[in-house]
Every structure is written in C-alpha cells, then in structure tokens.
Amino acid sequence: SIDVSIVSSAVKDLDVLLDNLEVALDAHTDIDMKTNFSKGMKGVDRLVSNVGSALLRAVNLSTLMHGFGGAFASSRGSLPIRREDYFKSRAVQGIDDFISHSWQTSRWSKFLAVCMVYNMKAAAVSSWLAAVVIFVLELDAVAILPKFFEVETIHGGQVYRHHRGCAGMVISPIIFILVGLFWQDITKPHMVFVDKFC
C-alpha cells in the first residue's frame, strides 16, 4: 500500500519547486504569448517573446561566415557552447535573423547556402553593373579598354573585320564570385542567432 502522507508531502515539495522555478524564470524572461487562431486553423499562429537584454545574444554574419564557414566544420562546442565561441556573440536589443541548421549537413553546403541567402542579390547587381560599365568602356566611341580578339563577319558577300573585347567575360564573373563570398564583410553588420555562438 502507498503511504498517503508521503505522496502528499512529495506533491507539496513539487509545487514549491515549480513556484521557485517560475519565479526564477520571471526574473530573467518576460514572455508574452499571443495566439491568433485563423479560420479553419488550430494552434498558435504567433509567439511574441520579450527577452531580457542580458539573455538576448547574436553574432555578426561576418563572424559566422569567417574562414568560409569554419564554425560549421565541427559540432564540438555546440552544446555546451565553448567559451571562445560564446564571446564572439554579444548582447543585442534585437536579432535580424534566426539561423537553424543540421550538424549532419556539410560545412560547405551550409556556407554556400548562407551566401545564397544573404549575398546573391548584391553579387548579381554588382556583376551586372560591372558588365555595363565595361561594355561602355569598350565602345569604339570611348575606346578606354582594349579589344584583343579580331572577328570576321560576312554580310552581302563582303568581309568585315572588327575587334571584340573580353574584359566583361573575365571581370564580371570574378566580381560575382567575390561579392557572393564576401558581401557580409562589406555591408553593414547583420546580427543573427546561431546555436554555436549564442
């Protein structure tokens, strides 16, 4: 048989423990949950959390991508967070993005995915602008950049020779790659939450 007094005492101890835990959490985090139920949809649509500034941390996207995503090379230090990784993040008032990832995915896959999300637009615009500028500089009317290739075309039985430049074909892809890999170091800081650092 079960001693009712022992069970009652255990329940009271559990209640006290839960109350203490709730007080401790309230001291650090003020969470305001707002639920919004859409028609035909059950569950929480939005969770709004107000976290104390001491707990809200983020790392600069440039730091995350340093060394071609070296932070993703190993899961060592993810839990618990290594001291040197933790101090690469800092307390912030707000987080720009939350980055979730799987340690089973390779470092390079994650690095290139982050490059695609954050740098691809800047890389495309930069390389396109470079191509336009180079095109103008290679025009015969401007003739600032040299044209190395001689091309023959035949129109109406007559042979025409003209020169064609190749700077755009060389420089534009290089700019695309460089901006695509390093835009996070050029642009304004973008603060993100990543478990490895925060």
Side-chain angles (χ1 to χ4, degrees):
S1 63
I2 300 173
D3 190 339
V4 176
S5 62
I6 293 175
V7 173
S8 177
S9 176
V11 170
K12 286 180 182 177
D13 289 342
L14 183 59
D15 282 340
V16 171
L17 179 64
L18 289 174
D19 287 340
N20 289 339
L21 181 60
E22 189 176 17
V23 169
L25 286 174
D26 286 342
H28 293 287
T29 308
D30 175 26
I31 299 178
D32 174 33
M33 292 192 308
K34 296 180 181 178
T35 58
N36 183 10
F37 295 92
S38 300
K39 185 177 180 181
M41 182 179 184
K42 297 179 180 178
V44 177
D45 182 59
R46 187 173 62 170
L47 174 64
V48 179
S49 300
N50 297 316
V51 181
S53 59
L55 297 178
L56 190 64
R57 298 184 68 86
V59 64
N60 192 341
L61 187 64
S62 177
T63 303
L64 172 66
M65 297 175 70
H66 179 74
F68 298 100
F72 294 126
S74 169
S75 61
R76 181 176 174 268
S78 182
L79 286 173
I81 299 172
R82 290 191 305 170
R83 188 177 182 85
E84 57 266 33
D85 288 335
Y86 180 78
F87 284 110
K88 289 177 182 176
S89 67
R90 65 175 188 259
V92 293
Q93 295 298 316
I95 296 172
D96 294 315
D97 289 309
F98 179 95
I99 296 180
S100 179
H101 66 101
S102 166
W103 286 114
Q104 295 178 345
T105 307
S106 73
R107 157 196 178 176
W108 290 105
S109 295
K110 285 185 271 195
F111 173 73
L112 292 175
V114 174
C115 286
M116 288 282 290
V117 171
Y118 292 101
N119 299 351
M120 196 54 52
K121 184 177 180 180
V125 171
S126 299
S127 61
W128 181 82
L129 288 175
V132 170
V133 170
I134 291 167
F135 170 77
V136 171
L137 296 178
E138 285 180 340
L139 288 173
D140 290 336
V142 180
I144 292 177
L145 290 178
K147 297 179 180 180
F148 297 104
F149 298 105
E150 185 176 291
V151 180
E152 287 187 357
T153 56
I154 300 173
H155 291 290
Q158 191 169 357
V159 177
Y160 296 91
R161 289 184 176 87
H162 58 275
H163 291 81
R164 182 173 294 171
C166 64
M169 293 184 288
V170 175
I171 296 174
S172 290
I174 291 174
I175 290 176
F176 181 86
I177 292 170
L178 290 176
V179 174
L181 294 177
F182 302 109
W183 178 247
Q184 71 279 354
D185 297 321
I186 302 168
T187 188
K188 66 179 183 178
H190 194 84
M191 302 306 294
V192 297
F193 178 93
V194 183
D195 60 357
K196 179 90 173 183
F197 297 97
C198 305

